[in-house]
Amino acid sequence: MSSELEEDFEIEDPAEELFRACEKVLRSGIWLIRNGYGRLAILPYLSPSGCHWRCEFHPVGFRSRTMFRYTSADGHKYLAAHCGGTLRKDASPEKLAKAALVGADEDLLSACSGEASPETLAWLEVLERTLGQGFVPQAFHEYSTDPSSWDVVTPASDFKSSISAPPWNWEQDLSWKDLPYWGSSQKTEFKVR
């Protein structure tokens, strides 16, 4: 009886599902940059707890002005942290990109509009190769020390490597280490009285 049930449905690999969701978000950002939003910055990072991968799109140099935000905690609910809309699980990166545009502020879209630089287009090719090899990038995490490179990781293992950071100055408006929750796990010194 159990073998009949197993044949009726496929059990998805959670790590593969996670990778595919993260990959789709990144590929939607790539699509936007190549299709008229060349001043869009993609910022993938690890949550402070290290449990979830996150990705934000914002105008280059304006990290605090997020146009789109995704967290892997939302799984295939790609628009949950954006506009709350729904999108089919199997939607293409292009459809996700277009859905992200619908809920975005017009001023932010205007700030992201324009042609991508040749350096950015070349970096997007590196990012695509990285995704094709089964890795997702993270620009920073709690113990980041080198802004010139991004870690690339696989959801299924502890293997880690790196790629060069994008050509835009992603750290220019980045004050993540000043946020209260980033310091919460750092060593705290107590004075004894």
Side-chain angles (χ1 to χ4, degrees):
M1 178 81 168
S2 66
S3 64
E4 289 175 12
L5 290 175
E6 289 174 10
E7 292 175 5
D8 288 344
F9 62 91
E10 274 185 51
I11 298 173
E12 301 280 341
D13 176 10
E16 182 67 20
E17 286 289 307
L18 173 63
F19 171 74
R20 293 291 167 219
C22 298
E23 176 187 33
K24 186 175 295 192
V25 169
L26 289 165
R27 289 191 186 277
S28 70
I30 292 169
W31 187 90
L32 286 168
I33 291 171
R34 287 187 174 144
N35 288 276
Y37 296 92
R39 295 191 320 239
L40 175 96
I42 301 170
L43 185 64
Y45 60 96
L46 207 54
S47 67
S49 68
C51 294
H52 300 290
W53 181 87
R54 296 177 178 171
C55 190
E56 297 179 3
F57 301 165
H58 58 84
V60 170
F62 295 95
R63 161 76 168 76
S64 62
R65 300 289 316 246
T66 303
M67 184 189 104
F68 175 80
R69 179 175 288 123
Y70 170 79
T71 174
S72 62
D74 291 332
H76 296 289
K77 296 177 183 173
Y78 298 106
L79 303 174
H82 180 56
C83 62
T86 58
L87 192 68
R88 290 177 47 143
K89 176 181 171 180
D90 62 348
S92 70
E94 180 181 346
K95 286 193 185 225
L96 174 56
K98 289 178 179 179
L101 293 175
V102 170
D105 180 91
E106 289 297 321
D107 290 339
L108 293 177
L109 292 177
S110 179
C112 293
S113 294
E115 294 299 315
S117 70
E119 296 83 11
T120 296
L121 294 173
W123 184 81
L124 291 179
E125 290 178 16
V126 171
L127 180 56
E128 285 179 314
R129 279 195 304 275
T130 301
L131 292 171
Q133 295 171 350
F135 297 101
V136 293
Q138 54 190 35
F140 61 86
H141 49 79
E142 192 163 359
Y143 302 106
S144 295
T145 58
D146 183 6
S148 69
S149 68
W150 286 5
D151 289 343
V152 292
V153 298
T154 64
S157 74
D158 292 335
F159 178 81
K160 190 165 57 168
S161 186
S162 65
I163 60 172
S164 63
W168 59 81
N169 188 355
W170 67 273
E171 202 176 34
Q172 175 182 336
D173 189 36
L174 190 61
S175 57
W176 57 272
K177 286 189 176 182
D178 296 330
L179 297 173
Y181 56 79
W182 283 102
S184 64
S185 66
Q186 294 176 353
K187 181 180 175 185
T188 305
E189 294 183 25
F190 296 97
K191 293 184 178 180
V192 180
R193 293 180 185 208

